[in-house]
Amino acid sequence: MSTPFHIPDHALLRAKLTRLRRRETDTVTFRRALAEVGAILTSEALRDLDEVETGIETPVGPMRAPALAAPEPCLVAILRAGLGLLEGARMVLPEAPVGHLGLVRDEHTLRPTEYVVRLPRDLPARGALVLDPMLATGGSAIQAIHRVKQAGATLIRFACVVAAPEGLAAFRAAHPDVPVTAGALDERLNEKGYIVPGLGDAGDRCFGTE
Ligand SMILES: O=P(O)(O)OC[C@H]1O[C@H](OP(=O)(O)OP(=O)(O)O)[C@H](O)[C@@H]1O
Ligand SMILES: O=c1cc[nH]c(=O)[nH]1
Ligand SMILES: [Mg+2]
């Protein structure tokens, strides 16, 4: 099986991504755009959730109407930058339980170190959408999905804003069963492991710590 990879064809998504990429975008604008992109990517990543038909009454009369067949999936944010996407994701799924995975990449080895694991109890029953703006070498996302699987989830999806070909290939090799929804697939990684052209350090830009 090969990981399904989907870039939504949406003018708003592209325009908001351009805002995120601009060097001069300030922290407030960056954070707002990241949340908006989080809402769009969450909707797109979950567009194929199972539905059932149910009988309802509108103010005008009865009808058969679609509803979700199962409780909403959990949202899992990879700290820190995933918190920016989470803000928008929760607008779309306000009732979803939220998990946090703290991962930070060593700037020399580019390997992630885990510093927080806090996952919802009903992850196995609900499944999860894991959120991180950047899929660079793929190390952080691969580790995060590993943790979510370890916690018992089988139905897992991953959403990111920008992916690098290197990271996508590594992710596909590690988790071929996990579909990826992304805002864009960029050219490559540079010698420091940053995505080119990318948008810089998503965590620093979101939290004003540059
Ligand atoms: O695919 P990778 O090579 O693992 O790189 C991607 C990771 O790097 C960034 O996090 P960072 O380590 O900078 O932590 P932060 O969000 O706290 O800034 C980003 O948010 C991803 O989690
Ligand atoms: O380009 C990149 C790569 C990793 N992490 C980021 O925040 N940006
Ligand atoms: Mg960072």
Side-chain angles (χ1 to χ4, degrees):
M1 199 203 304
S2 170
T3 311
F5 178 70
H6 172 56
I7 297 178
D9 181 9
H10 201 304
L12 286 179
L13 175 61
R14 287 189 284 272
K16 290 173 193 301
L17 178 50
T18 298
R19 199 174 297 162
L20 290 171
R21 289 185 190 275
R22 283 184 200 279
R23 179 193 288 273
E24 64 271 24
T25 296
D26 64 24
T27 304
V28 172
T29 311
F30 187 91
R31 182 177 155 209
R32 188 182 309 145
L34 193 54
E36 290 164 355
V37 167
I40 295 171
L41 291 177
T42 298
S43 304
E44 288 289 336
L46 300 176
R47 62 185 306 149
D48 62 348
L49 285 179
D50 288 340
E51 296 169 277
V52 287
E53 212 177 69
T54 179
I56 65 162
E57 295 274 343
T58 79
V60 181
M63 73 172 287
R64 304 287 300 167
L68 292 183
E72 296 175 347
C74 298
L75 295 167
V76 176
I78 302 180
L79 310 185
R80 289 173 302 165
L83 292 173
L85 285 177
L86 180 68
E87 239 178 274
R90 294 195 84 190
M91 299 294 288
V92 180
L93 293 187
E95 289 162 22
V98 174
H100 295 87
L101 287 174
L103 291 169
V104 65
R105 206 171 69 144
D106 181 279
E107 63 184 72
H108 300 294
T109 66
L110 303 183
R111 296 302 308 157
T113 300
E114 200 176 71
Y115 59 90
V116 169
V117 179
R118 194 79 198 234
L119 294 172
R121 221 187 301 273
D122 46 357
L123 207 53
R126 287 176 177 259
L129 173 63
V130 180
L131 302 163
D132 191 329
M134 311 307 280
L135 184 68
T137 66
S140 304
I142 289 168
Q143 169 65 16
I145 302 291
H146 172 68
R147 273 277 173 245
V148 169
K149 285 184 175 174
Q150 221 175 33
T154 49
L155 196 59
I156 306 169
R157 297 169 168 89
F158 178 71
C160 62
V161 179
V162 184
E166 298 90 328
L168 183 60
F171 188 94
R172 281 185 147 145
H175 299 297
D177 54 320
V178 178
V180 176
T181 302
L185 180 62
D186 276 11
E187 285 166 25
R188 61 183 171 87
L189 295 178
N190 70 12
E191 63 289 348
K192 291 184 172 168
Y194 278 85
I195 301 176
V196 180
L199 50 77
D201 190 303
D204 281 345
R205 297 196 69 190
C206 185
F207 292 104
T209 50
E210 271 165 298

